[in-house]
């Protein structure tokens, strides 16, 4: 067991730049040697058996994929010991929680690294209630054995003080690809998001393409193997259900950069929460779409007996493993798949009908531009003409505590960007050119050549990181740091 002095020494290896460090440090120090951790996470290289003939070596939490489901209680302080058995510094980010910078798990915010072959004890008060997750937050750059390309992903469920519970059973699903490799010009699904491309943004994108020194596009990352809960479709246990059962699925897209989709032939999903936050208008939808790091909680009423594939709409991805079998009691035969009709994913559907968000105190605008192959063959990303510097990690945007900020993002690229804000949630204000209100999220997909607007209230002082959740984008400029005045 590591002693307090060693622990503090590790903490001192890196400068603490968070402005709200004292409270968190006090919490950490309270978690003395005598106290037993509520959870222990051990980061180490291990094997994930996706199928008998597909065993991959990667970095895992507690030698399993996904990492263990951590159940916290809202408002009840939790102590987690994190051991790093690898040769490189690590960070565990508690995605979707409103916790101090010391424990949030982002170096840009000043969270200390967990040193190689060292450990760090962290303590925080989990909030808000709902479906969250944890994942590594280190830079991968061109190293596909680092960052979220590895198996460092696990679900978190923060139990609310009052659980509504209009379901019979919960099932957690983590979507994840393995065996990444670089390619040129890989394409992902593009036409599923509601809204239309904006002409002015297309022109801006074309201008950037014309100005680029490199005439080819930069590297993209593709994957050989796909899995749900660490098993390729057809391997692992099916989800066994009974007719009439209401199953609450908590789906997490744990990818490093892919967009995922799910359909279950003959069934609909009643979406009850997005990113763990209950929606104002639960709706039945035939298909779920999840950008990187998004979560959807949806109830499926099991009213269509048979043996079915709950799978990704992309035939390639499903055939390489992105699916899981749903088997009704007493049903037999080969799992069936039918492709659903095309369906536009529209966040506004789950908002408050006719609702309007509160007026912002301030508005900030961000234009996102891609610079083809500008960084040794990798695309570089700029926000308002600036790529985030990992050297200086300088906060570019200042906020005042208590104020409401409207952020408007204009995407001058053809890529879909899952935009993520740390330590705060935000309310969607306009998406796919449609006004909306009441949808609270921490990741939102911004369509190619589209705009999105969301509001956040500056209610959690300290450095606050904003970035695209595509590892390949965030590592090459697509980040910004907010600080409180
Ligand atoms: Cu992106």
């Amino acid at each position: 067991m590591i002693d307090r002095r060693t622990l503090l020494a590790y903490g001192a290896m890196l400068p603490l730049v968070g402005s709200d460090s004292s409270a968190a440090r006090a919490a950490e120090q309270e978690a003395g040697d005598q106290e037993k951790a509520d959870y222990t996470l051990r980061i180490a290289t291990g094997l994930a058996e996706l199928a008998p003939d597909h065993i991959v070596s990667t970095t895992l939490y507690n030698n399993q994929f996904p990492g263990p489901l951590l159940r916290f209680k809202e408002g009840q302080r939790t102590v987690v010991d994190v051991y790093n058995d690898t040769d490189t510094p690590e960070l565990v980010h508690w995605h979707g929680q409103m916790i101090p910078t010391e424990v949030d798990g982002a170096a840009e915010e000043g969270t200390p690294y967990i040193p190689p072959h060292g450990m760090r004890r962290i303590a925080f008060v989990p909030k808000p209630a709902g479906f969250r997750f944890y994942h590594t937050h280190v830079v991968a750059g061109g190293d596909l054995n680092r960052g979220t390309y590895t198996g460092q992903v696990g679900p978190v469920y923060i139990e609310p003080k009052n659980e509504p519970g209009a379901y019979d059973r919960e099932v957690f699903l983590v979507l994840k690809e393995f065996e990444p490799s670089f390619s040129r010009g890989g394409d992902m699904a593009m036409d599923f998001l509601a809204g239309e491309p904006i002409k002015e943004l297309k022109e801006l994108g074309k201008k950037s393409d014309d100005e680029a020194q490199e005439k080819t596009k930069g590297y993209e990352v593709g994957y050989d193997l796909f899995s749900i809960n660490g098993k390729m479709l057809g391997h692992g246990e099916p989800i066994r259900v009974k007719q009439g059962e209401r199953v609450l699925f908590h789906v997490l897209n744990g990818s490093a950069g892919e967009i995922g989709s799910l359909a279950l032939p003959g069934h609909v999903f009643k979406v009850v929460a997005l990113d763990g936050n209950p929606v104002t208008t639960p709706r039945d939808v035939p298909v779920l779409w999840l950008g990187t790091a998004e979560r959807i909680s949806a109830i499926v009423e099991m009213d269509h007996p048979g043996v079915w594939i709950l799978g990704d709409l992309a035939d390639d991805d499903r055939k390489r493993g992105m699916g899981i079998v749903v088997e009704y009691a007493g049903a037999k035969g080969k799992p069936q798949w039918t492709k659903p009709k095309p369906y536009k994913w529209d966040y506004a559907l789950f908002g408050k009908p006719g609702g309007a968000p509160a007026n912002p105190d301030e508005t900030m605008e961000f234009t996102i531009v891609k610079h083809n192959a500008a960084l040794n063959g990798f695309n570089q990303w700029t926000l308002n003409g600036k790529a985030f510097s990992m050297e200086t990690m300088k906060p570019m945007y200042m906020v005042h505590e208590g104020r409401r900020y409207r952020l408007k993002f204009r995407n001058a690229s053809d890529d879909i960007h899952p935009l993520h804000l740390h330590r705060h949630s935000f309310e969607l204000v306009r998406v796919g050119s449609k006004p909306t209100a009441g949808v609270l999220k921490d990741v939102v997909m911004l369509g190619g050549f589209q705009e999105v607007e969301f509001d956040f209230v500056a209610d959690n002082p300290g450095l606050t990181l904003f970035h695209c959740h595509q590892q390949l984008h965030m590592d090459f400029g697509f980040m910004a740091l907010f600080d409180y005045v």
Side-chain angles (χ1 to χ4, degrees), residues 125-147:
V125 178
K127 70 170 180 180
F131 186 25
R132 316 285 161 207
F133 78 116
Y134 58 103
H135 63 83
T136 177
H137 211 285
V138 300
V139 177
D143 185 350
L144 297 180
N145 292 311
R146 294 271 287 153

Side-chain angles (χ1 to χ4, degrees), residues 333-446:
K334 206 168 157 269
Q336 301 296 309
W337 170 257
T338 40
K339 197 179 175 67
K341 290 197 190 82
Y343 178 76
K344 290 270 183 188
W345 183 248
D346 184 359
Y347 294 110
L349 208 59
F350 311 104
K352 208 185 294 171
N359 287 327
D361 298 304
E362 240 180 88
T363 299
M364 298 181 184
E365 201 174 283
F366 300 84
T367 301
I368 299 153
V369 175
K370 172 161 73 176
H371 304 273
N372 285 326
L375 293 170
N376 300 321
F378 291 95
N379 297 323
Q380 185 184 45
W381 295 90
T382 56
L383 296 180
N384 295 342
K386 289 205 172 56
F388 186 75
S389 161
M390 296 302 295
E391 278 72 45
T392 61
M393 298 204 278
K394 191 171 170 281
M396 298 286 291
Y397 304 94
M398 302 305 288
V399 296
H400 291 262
E401 188 173 2
R403 285 196 196 164
R404 184 180 176 95
Y405 292 87
R406 180 155 299 170
L407 307 189
K408 177 178 179 177
F409 296 94
R410 306 169 69 235
N411 181 8
S413 76
D414 55 356
D415 300 61
I416 294 174
H417 302 291
L419 307 179
H420 172 47
L421 185 65
H422 280 230
R423 303 173 60 250
H424 298 75
S425 57
F426 50 76
E427 180 178 3
L428 297 183
V429 167
R430 202 166 61 88
V431 57
S433 305
K434 256 201 292 190
T436 186
V439 180
L440 292 175
K441 293 183 60 56
D442 52 59
V443 181
V444 63
M445 281 184 277
L446 167 56

Side-chain angles (χ1 to χ4, degrees), residues 368 381 415-419 467-470 472-474 478:
I368 299 153
W381 295 90
D415 300 61
I416 294 174
H417 302 291
L419 307 179
H467 62 88
C468 176
H469 219 286
Q470 267 243 38
L472 195 60
H473 298 180
M474 68 186 276
F478 202 147

Side-chain angles (χ1 to χ4, degrees), residues 86-104:
T86 73
D87 296 331
T88 49
E90 268 299 343
L91 286 163
V92 178
H93 169 49
W94 301 96
H95 186 120
Q97 292 202 50
M98 295 161 193
I99 54 177
T101 54
E102 241 79 12
V103 288
D104 186 52

Side-chain angles (χ1 to χ4, degrees), residues 173-208:
L173 301 177
V174 179
L175 318 184
K176 182 70 179 173
E177 305 80 15
F178 290 93
E179 301 290 69
S181 59
F182 287 116
S183 62
R184 292 268 189 181
D187 272 323
M188 54 166 119
M190 283 298 158
D191 53 356
F192 67 92
L193 277 179
E196 295 299 327
I198 295 167
K199 194 166 154 261
E200 190 198 340
L201 292 173
K202 277 189 149 174
E203 283 163 5
L204 211 60
K206 192 180 174 300
K207 188 165 156 273
S208 176

